[in-house]
Amino acid sequence: MATSKVLGYLESSKNLAGGACGLLGLVLTFTGVAGPYWPVVVAGLYGAGALIAPPERPALPDFPSPSAQLDAVREDFAKLGGYLTDVDLPPALRTRLTELTDVLGALLEPGWVAEVLAQDPEAVHALSRAVRQDVPEAVDTFVRTRWWTRLAPGAEPPERHLERQLDLLRQEAERLAAELGETEARRQESHTRYLEDRGGNRNGELSA
């Protein structure tokens, strides 16, 4: 470990900058400027060079990119689909669940939509949370609660809660899709203004 530290310092910007300044001190020595104090001059210039050199910057952690995160969410969405297929749901709830998963699946579809999504880390996080936490937790809680209500009839139907949860999650997913669509619309408007400004500037140059 000590050897690696020494080698690391020898390759560092501080040592390189100090060595360059120390070399300048040797030049001053050979030209007679440093005089008998040349060791002090060389050492001082080396130290000054090492001090003014920028500090070494550790490499940033290699976190997965938003696109790579989307790939992982897409795999988990496939697993979620297998789980949801095995769950026994009333037809009305199955319809609502399908409406939700259709929106989530469309957002995760590989292609230009996913490319737009990958540019928004908050959107990727929201989609990941829906797939990995919100949907499975809502369905699993319903399954467990329904078993208890069968033992104690008269309690509030768990179907009502799951129906509301699925509606809220679908609205959230649709809102996310709408926001991404607005981002694309703003990009289109910006390109239109750019072309208009460019055309106006060119017309002004021609008239001049």
Side-chain angles (χ1 to χ4, degrees):
M1 181 177 294
T3 303
S4 61
K5 288 184 177 180
V6 171
L7 291 176
Y9 179 77
L10 291 176
E11 298 174 353
S12 68
S13 58
K14 287 185 174 296
N15 182 56
L16 294 176
C21 291
L23 183 61
L24 175 61
L26 291 177
V27 172
L28 295 177
T29 299
F30 291 135
T31 57
V33 176
Y37 302 103
W38 67 268
V40 177
V41 173
V42 172
L45 288 174
Y46 176 88
L51 287 175
I52 63 174
E56 294 297 320
R57 184 174 63 87
L60 290 172
D62 186 19
F63 294 127
S65 65
S67 296
Q69 294 178 37
L70 269 184
D71 290 338
V73 176
R74 196 174 290 117
E75 293 178 0
D76 290 341
F77 181 68
K79 297 177 185 177
L80 176 64
Y83 161 72
L84 296 176
T85 300
D86 295 336
V87 175
D88 180 25
L89 293 176
L93 289 178
R94 176 65 64 181
T95 299
R96 278 180 161 77
L97 181 61
T98 300
E99 292 173 349
L100 168 60
T101 55
D102 283 348
V103 178
L104 296 177
L107 290 171
L108 286 169
E109 187 70 22
W112 68 269
V113 175
E115 292 174 1
V116 174
L117 180 64
Q119 297 174 15
D120 188 342
E122 291 298 324
V124 174
H125 171 71
L127 195 56
S128 171
R129 181 181 57 198
V131 170
R132 293 169 171 167
Q133 177 180 335
D134 295 335
V135 175
E137 182 174 340
V139 174
D140 183 61
T141 303
F142 164 77
V143 172
R144 289 184 284 112
T145 306
R146 182 173 57 171
W147 186 85
W148 286 106
T149 55
R150 287 172 178 172
L151 296 180
E156 185 177 10
E159 288 84 358
R160 185 177 305 169
H161 283 287
L162 181 58
E163 178 180 333
R164 181 57 178 155
Q165 291 168 8
L166 294 177
D167 285 344
L168 290 172
L169 289 171
R170 178 179 52 80
Q171 293 169 13
E172 186 176 280
E174 291 175 345
R175 190 160 52 246
L176 174 60
E179 291 173 354
L180 293 174
E182 291 174 359
T183 299
E184 288 296 281
R186 286 194 297 270
R187 183 179 291 113
Q188 184 185 39
E189 293 171 0
S190 297
H191 189 58
T192 300
R193 287 194 297 270
Y194 162 72
L195 293 176
E196 290 174 345
D197 293 342
R198 189 176 70 182
N201 292 335
R202 183 172 298 174
N203 291 335
E205 292 173 359
L206 292 175
S207 62

